Amino acid sequence: MNQTGLTFKQRNKQNTLNLAKWTSAWVITLAIASFGPHFLWQEQAVFSVVAILINVVVGIMMILSNKRQLQGMDELQQRMHLNAMAITLGASLVFGLAYSVVQSSGLISFKEDISHLVIFMSLTYLVSLLIMNKQLNDEGEE
């Protein structure tokens, strides 16, 4: 138990739930900011600016919630997430720029989009964590 009266497991669960809530709120506000001008407020700039500002504020809260979750983890979990973030950053830089060069040289015909990079980063982070978890479990079995 710590100063909050919660066990490590309870605190970790609470932090994960808070992160899920803020991430869901961010996705919802992003969808509203993206589709609102076309379907809700017919391209009125004031509403678009307000929707984007709300999305940014909710995004900052999501980042702080993510930071709180990472701080609540044990040292091994923190190290695994830090390694996954480092791999994701490096891979995104290398493959993102290579993708841009390939597209600008005309080797591929479809239009690049930021969503491609977000999907790549998400998958890289997820796969990195899964591989490190598997390695940890394999070491524990030996």
Side-chain angles (χ1 to χ4, degrees):
M1 297 242 186
N2 62 6
Q3 296 172 348
T4 61
L6 299 175
T7 64
F8 174 77
K9 189 174 181 178
Q10 290 170 328
R11 192 177 63 242
N12 201 11
K13 183 177 179 180
Q14 185 180 38
N15 288 338
T16 301
L17 286 174
N18 281 337
L19 179 59
K21 289 175 188 173
W22 281 112
T23 302
S24 298
W26 178 74
V27 169
I28 290 168
T29 59
L30 181 62
I32 291 171
S34 299
F35 299 114
H38 306 295
F39 300 114
L40 298 176
W41 52 79
Q42 284 71 41
E43 310 288 338
Q44 294 185 17
V46 173
F47 292 116
S48 292
V49 169
V50 170
I52 292 167
L53 289 175
I54 290 171
N55 177 252
V56 169
V57 169
V58 172
I60 290 170
M61 295 305 295
M62 179 184 69
I63 292 168
L64 294 175
S65 181
N66 191 24
K67 182 179 177 235
R68 190 175 312 113
Q69 186 197 28
L70 288 172
Q71 288 174 331
M73 293 177 173
D74 64 27
E75 290 180 17
L76 180 60
Q77 291 172 324
Q78 288 178 351
R79 187 178 180 134
M80 288 173 52
H81 281 270
L82 180 63
N83 286 339
M85 287 179 203
I87 291 168
T88 301
L89 175 64
S92 299
L93 183 67
V94 170
F95 291 106
L97 290 176
Y99 180 73
S100 178
V101 170
V102 166
Q103 205 252 344
S104 65
S105 65
L107 294 173
I108 55 175
S109 60
F110 56 90
K111 183 182 171 200
E112 63 185 41
D113 192 88
I114 191 68
S115 63
H116 300 155
L117 182 61
V118 172
I119 291 168
F120 178 79
M121 291 174 72
S122 301
L123 293 175
T124 302
Y125 188 76
L126 178 66
V127 169
S128 298
L129 276 180
L130 290 174
I131 290 171
M132 284 186 270
N133 269 323
K134 181 167 179 10
Q135 288 173 341
L136 183 65
N137 288 336
D138 290 346
E139 289 175 9
E141 293 175 0
E142 292 176 2

